[in-house]
Amino acid sequence: MPSLSQLQFSTKLLIDGELFEGEGRTETIYAPATGEVISQVREASTEQVNHAIAAAKRAYYSWSRTTPQQRSTVLLEIANLIENHAPNLARIEALNCGKPLHQALNDDLTAAVDVFRFFAGAVRCQYGQLSAEYIPGYTSMVRRDALGVVASIAPWNYPLMMAAWKIAPALAAGNTLVFKPSEHTPLSILELATHLDSILPKGCLNVVSGGGENVGSLLARHRDVRMISLTGDIVTGQKVLKDAVDSLKRTHLELGGKAPVIVCNDADIDLVVEGVTKYGYYNAGQDCTAACRIYAQAGIHDRLVEELGNAVSKLKFAQCQDSDNDLGPLISLRQRDRVASFVERALTEAHIQRVTGATIPSGSGYFYQPTLLAGCLQHDEIVQREVFGPVVTVTRFDEIPQALAWANDTEYGLASSVWTRDLDKAMHFATHLEYGCTWINSHFMLASEMPHGGLKRSGHGKELSSDSLQDYSVVRHIMARHALIN
Ligand code: NAD
């Protein structure tokens, strides 16, 4: 884990192109791997939030009139900036989230850079409906325009990557932004913000740190904010929707998940064990798409539980040599205790067996041992609710329709996977699973070109891909009456 002395970070907010100390409440920022205090960050006051929104509103006039090529150039410069500062930003991310440095650098930072580069290209290649005379003597054209000021609110699991997912498409589409990181993990984006003045016109991107109930809610309620984009919990999504009602602003909600992983008798078991060991526990399971809810067919079930249990018990965490670690701690003591209490309650059920894990290791930091529970039944809390920790359950099934029904029997609809060598079976599941994404013989793989987002209570709206450019813009119909045609 990087040490504090290796870091260069800022605690200042970016408002209208200038850096300010926050004037609101003070938030203590912890290193989850040790529990040590990294810093204190003062959150934005109400006046500072209003100032940021007003600055974004002023900047909108000229930013929305730039060409796609001009915006593309700016996004490419931001991508280069992140790449040039990647070692420091990754160290901040690793310390503030507790994730292994190699993952912060090779996964999060690389993805953030790629997202800016993708949207730099995508905004220059948009297409749409043809202009034509749908009424004789009238030519109809469809424009796609920006919305205005967008407010974006991010969670703590991938702070800089989530910032990239939200900032890049919004700016590319011609909007200006007020971005709020999670109050637990503001440091990487605040540091990046100190380098943006030479790239972005002032006011185009404002970064205000602070808690959800005050800063987040102010953004969701403000009448000059035309769209609010949130990645977070379902309950937070509901609060944001309520706050957005008065101003009738557009909402974009990426909420929780509880991904089913359907393993059929004919699956390649080595592939499943490798995939779930990696993507059920990556980022300590703090991932809305984590491969956490296995349905294993009876013919493969016992072998899978045994081999997966062996593999999971070998996952490394809390090692002195950070490059050896497969996963880090939970983000906070509260989150670690929440995960532990889910597992404790599950283990009071006589039918649930602990295959591995289910303990809080000794030592400092908010670690929880990677856990595999077998014998879980569909109605169990641990099968139904998002744990957001390194905990995977296995439920046995006999017939395909049963697995499909159970996989869909949840309030979530973000991600799913099916593991089989039979393409017909795979396509049957892919067609009928009610999820924003279904992987076949894989899990968790994301591409900037492909849409990411949920159904049901996992929210609405897409991140990544040109679909998200559509979410951050609006089509307008222009109709010209004239005598030239016919
Ligand atoms: P959270 O909902 O507690 O917080 C997310 C953000 O919302 C934070 O910035 C927080 O300050 C803000 N917030 C909290 N209350 C608010 C309010 N009343 N008004 C406005 N903003 C408010 O979530 P978290 O604990 O940071 O992250 C974990 C959750 O995020 C999990 O449920 C996870 O599934 C979800 N998540 C979803 C995706 C996705 O793509 N669907 C990705 C990552 C995380």
Side-chain angles (χ1 to χ4, degrees):
M1 193 191 68
S3 75
L4 251 180
S5 61
Q6 293 174 291
L7 294 192
Q8 185 193 326
F9 65 89
S10 162
T11 56
K12 291 189 174 162
L13 317 179
L14 176 66
I15 302 176
D16 205 13
E18 286 185 54
L19 299 171
F20 298 94
E21 286 296 351
E23 291 165 2
R25 195 177 68 173
T26 299
E27 191 76 47
T28 302
I29 311 295
Y30 294 95
T34 58
E36 285 167 350
V37 172
I38 304 176
S39 184
Q40 311 273 349
V41 176
R42 293 224 22 214
E43 68 177 30
S45 62
T46 302
E47 293 70 31
Q48 288 179 309
V49 174
N50 289 337
H51 181 186
I53 295 169
K57 193 175 172 188
R58 274 194 305 277
Y60 178 70
Y61 183 85
S62 40
W63 182 251
S64 61
R65 283 163 176 72
T66 53
T67 62
Q69 190 259 359
Q70 288 170 320
R71 296 198 292 277
S72 173
T73 304
V74 168
L75 293 190
L76 290 172
E77 286 178 26
I78 297 177
N80 292 344
L81 178 76
I82 298 174
E83 201 164 56
N84 292 339
H85 290 83
N88 183 48
L89 292 170
R91 280 198 289 271
I92 297 174
E93 213 73 317
L95 189 68
N96 196 177
C97 302
K99 53 182 82 193
L101 180 58
H102 59 99
Q103 290 176 358
L105 187 62
N106 300 330
D107 301 345
D108 298 30
L109 267 292
T110 305
V113 170
D114 187 61
V115 165
F116 276 99
R117 292 199 174 130
F118 167 73
F119 283 107
V123 71
R124 300 185 70 179
C125 311
Q126 293 193 88
Y127 57 89
Q129 205 171 345
L130 295 179
S131 297
E133 291 67 49
Y134 297 97
I135 296 173
Y138 292 80
T139 298
S140 283
M141 294 158 270
V142 170
R143 295 176 56 91
R144 183 166 282 283
D145 286 313
L147 295 160
V149 177
V150 171
S152 292
I153 301 179
W156 40 256
N157 51 354
Y158 303 98
L160 206 61
M161 194 175 91
M162 289 292 127
W165 284 22
K166 297 205 176 291
I167 293 169
L171 283 180
N175 305 286
T176 53
L177 258 101
V178 180
F179 177 80
K180 188 193 92 58
S182 163
E183 59 274 35
H184 303 298
T185 54
L187 297 179
S188 52
I189 185 71
L190 291 179
E191 172 59 19
L192 183 67
T194 65
H195 303 286
L196 288 172
D197 58 329
S198 58
I199 299 179
L200 267 171
K202 64 181 203 160
C204 283
L205 171 62
N206 305 273
V207 182
V208 290
S209 187
E213 299 293 339
N214 25 27
V215 177
S217 178
L218 277 173
L219 293 171
R221 281 186 278 121
H222 203 289
R223 286 190 168 251
D224 287 338
V225 172
R226 296 271 171 81
M227 170 173 170
I228 184 112
S229 169
L230 164 80
T231 297
D233 195 61
I234 290 180
V235 174
T236 310
Q238 290 168 329
K239 288 182 185 166
V240 163
L241 276 178
K242 283 185 190 145
D243 280 341
V245 160
D246 260 3
S247 54
L248 286 172
K249 56 176 59 72
R250 184 180 284 196
T251 55
H252 187 270
L253 303 174
E254 297 291 337
L255 308 177
K258 183 81 184 171
V261 178
I262 301 167
V263 184
C264 301
N265 283 339
D266 64 351
D268 177 335
I269 195 161
D270 294 341
L271 215 57
V272 182
V273 170
E274 187 195 326
V276 176
T277 307
K278 195 152 185 208
Y279 298 125
Y281 300 89
Y282 185 83
N283 210 32
Q286 300 167 113
D287 190 293
C288 48
T289 66
C292 58
R293 181 164 57 110
I294 299 178
Y295 293 101
Q297 203 164 11
I300 200 167
H301 174 276
D302 293 356
R303 220 180 116 205
L304 179 65
V305 169
E306 189 189 336
E307 293 188 20
L308 190 56
N310 281 336
V312 171
S313 65
K314 293 187 185 117
L315 282 170
K316 293 209 172 95
F317 58 94
Q319 304 290 309
C320 299
Q321 186 66 31
D322 184 55
S323 55
D324 290 343
N325 286 319
D326 297 304
L327 63 150
L330 278 305
I331 190 70
S332 61
L333 201 54
R334 186 165 163 266
Q335 185 69 10
R336 200 265 305 273
D337 291 347
R338 183 176 170 274
V339 170
S341 69
F342 264 115
V343 175
E344 274 165 32
R345 284 195 299 278
L347 289 173
T348 61
E349 302 285 352
H351 56 269
I352 298 184
Q353 301 103 44
R354 184 194 81 93
V355 181
T356 185
T359 55
I360 295 175
S362 58
S364 60
Y366 315 138
F367 291 94
Y368 192 75
Q369 208 182 357
T371 298
L372 183 68
L373 301 177
C376 302
L377 300 179
Q378 180 62 14
H379 60 260
D380 288 333
E381 180 199 47
I382 198 88
V383 174
Q384 289 290 331
R385 290 193 52 201
E386 185 183 46
V387 176
F388 226 55
V391 179
V392 174
T393 62
V394 186
T395 301
R396 182 195 294 261
F397 75 91
D398 293 309
E399 304 298 336
I400 300 292
Q402 191 179 39
L404 184 59
W406 282 346
N408 283 335
D409 168 33
T410 165
E411 60 181 6
Y412 299 105
L414 186 61
S416 56
S417 64
V418 54
W419 303 73
T420 171
R421 288 187 169 95
D422 179 342
L423 185 62
D424 293 343
K425 219 184 282 172
M427 291 313 294
H428 175 75
F429 276 111
T431 307
H432 297 294
L433 281 167
E434 296 165 351
Y435 288 84
C437 175
T438 298
W439 290 283
I440 297 172
N441 293 323
S442 181
H443 201 102
F444 191 78
M445 306 308 293
L446 296 176
S448 299
E449 293 81 356
M450 289 292 119
H452 170 81
L455 312 180
K456 302 200 276 189
R457 280 166 42 111
S458 288
H460 52 253
K462 296 294 172 194
E463 307 269 27
L464 305 176
S465 79
S466 44
D467 289 293
S468 86
L469 275 182
Q470 302 202 354
D471 287 355
Y472 284 98
S473 58
V474 64
V475 285
R476 297 174 53 231
H477 174 204
I478 312 295
M479 188 184 243
R481 176 181 172 176
H482 50 77
L484 293 178
I485 299 173
N486 291 332

